[in-house]
Amino acid sequence: MKRVLVVQLARFGDLLQTRRLLASLAARDMSSAAPELHLLVDASLLPLAGLAYPGVIAHGLAAHGPGNAAGADDPSALARVLGNRAIFAELSALRFDRVYVLNHSGLARAVSTLFDPDIVRGHLLTHGQPVKDPWPALAFRFMATRRETGLNLMDFWAAFAGRMAPPDTVNPRATPKGGGIGVVLAGREARRSLPPQVLAPLLTAAFSRVAAKRIVLLGTADQAPAARALCRLLRPAVAEHVLDLSGKTDMGGLFREIAALDELFTPDTGAMHLAAHLGTPVTAFFLSSAWCHETGPYGHGHTVWQALTPCAPCLETAACEHGLACRDPFADARLARLVAGSAKTAPPPGLVGYHTGTDALGAVCEPFAGEDQTAQARRAFRSFVAEHLGVGHGLGADPGLGARYYQEPDWMLDRGPLAGRGFVETL
């Protein structure tokens, strides 16, 4: 039996967005056995890996902490390398047939040096130099035109495998479970979350629509003050149905709570991806640097309200020069009426509602409320990427996009996802 390792050293949501890649690797031709799949994650995420991927062998190392995003020459990255020598020795002894390194961090590239570079796909160090395979190198160029592009991170990583599992088989179709509304109080980046005074009217509107009169607040212990502030802003008739679980659930408890909900209210968070993973409907609020076409909930049956102010999506690392203008549309009373189920209300300017689904390439967000002026450009981009990956022949991709995104080596070599690296995935 062949043995494959996927290196995913990012955080909660990223681990769940690895699902299509793992499904693609597990689905082999009838003539060959499915490989033994291994997954390398931050040690804190081992419980999540075990729950989300019970058939995969998970390994943990210390990946998160100060300097997590640092380059390979950063001293903190070197310290983490030295602190993980035992797990490195374990992985080296397993003799993998293929290794997929999904992250371009210094630590992930250091992990790649444990293996023969001929079996490594994605991001690696070769002769001390960081190298990207042609597919991630091309995909990184898409970031220059984020507003017009739309490639879900789940699909980006799945393309590392070559033959991708059908997108509509990855996550279950979302259906209400009867357990009421869950509310994720905030994400890791506060700028991408709605404050209690904005969230309260939206939650009240949803409460009037959902039959199960139960509201569950989910978050860390640090978010308990936000939970109390939200409760104070709710009408007593709504607040009496609130169960505050902020800081009170372990990973298993979070799984059980989200799996039982009718709907999860959330910014772009790991809990959002967990809900999609479990088939729980999501109502997501995307603002600041969050872009639903990249990291929205995967699969059918979710709703995203996306800020489309002229400056969106921005870079999280850049200071906001617009006073968080992308947050203003979420405080407009028209959005509360839409969340309550109104079919006649137009969304406030700067906000577009999307329903999620799939196409030949992967996850797609289709507008149902508001105007998305870049929708046509995004469809053309998706045709280009689908044709590049061999899943959309005949879709009529715009040849001008090749001139925009390809570089000279791409024209001279096979343009497959991992061209020039022996990209024939016959495990």
Side-chain angles (χ1 to χ4, degrees), residues 2 15 20 42 75 79 117 124 167 175 177 223 303 325-326 334 347 356 381 425:
K2 301 294 185 180
L15 176 54
R20 192 181 181 193
D42 180 77
L124 65 159
T175 55
K177 308 302 194 299
Q223 291 160 358
T303 300
C326 60
R334 284 172 286 187
T356 65
F381 167 81
E425 292 298 287

Side-chain angles (χ1 to χ4, degrees), residues 209-220:
R209 171 174 48 82
V210 175
K213 299 305 181 184
R214 179 174 181 264
I215 298 173
V216 182
L217 305 185
L218 302 169
T220 65

Side-chain angles (χ1 to χ4, degrees), residues 6 8 10-24 39 45 48 52-53 102-103 151-160 170-171 192 268-277 286 291-299 363:
V6 173
Q8 174 54 278
R11 297 182 182 269
F12 188 150
D14 302 89
L15 176 54
L16 294 166
Q17 291 176 98
T18 312
R19 189 175 196 176
R20 192 181 181 193
L21 171 60
L22 292 171
S24 301
L39 183 61
L45 296 177
L48 174 62
Y53 307 118
L102 306 188
N103 321 107
L151 180 64
N152 191 278
L153 186 58
M154 180 105 73
D155 301 320
F156 164 63
W157 278 327
F160 281 44
V170 177
N171 283 343
R192 300 196 303 186
D268 182 6
T269 62
M272 178 195 74
H273 295 295
L274 178 56
H277 184 96
F286 273 57
W291 193 230
C292 65
H293 307 287
E294 298 169 346
T295 58
Y298 201 98

Side-chain angles (χ1 to χ4, degrees), residues 32-70:
S32 59
E36 180 182 276
L37 292 180
H38 292 246
L39 183 61
L40 180 63
V41 301
D42 180 77
S44 68
L45 296 177
L46 280 173
L48 174 62
L51 289 166
Y53 307 118
V56 176
I57 301 169
H59 310 266
L61 54 68
H64 297 171
N68 186 50

Side-chain angles (χ1 to χ4, degrees), residues 173 292 296-304 354-358 363-366:
R173 183 177 290 270
C292 65
Y298 201 98
H300 292 264
H302 308 291
T303 300
V304 179
Y354 293 95
H355 287 149
T356 65
T358 58
V364 64
C365 297
E366 292 291 350

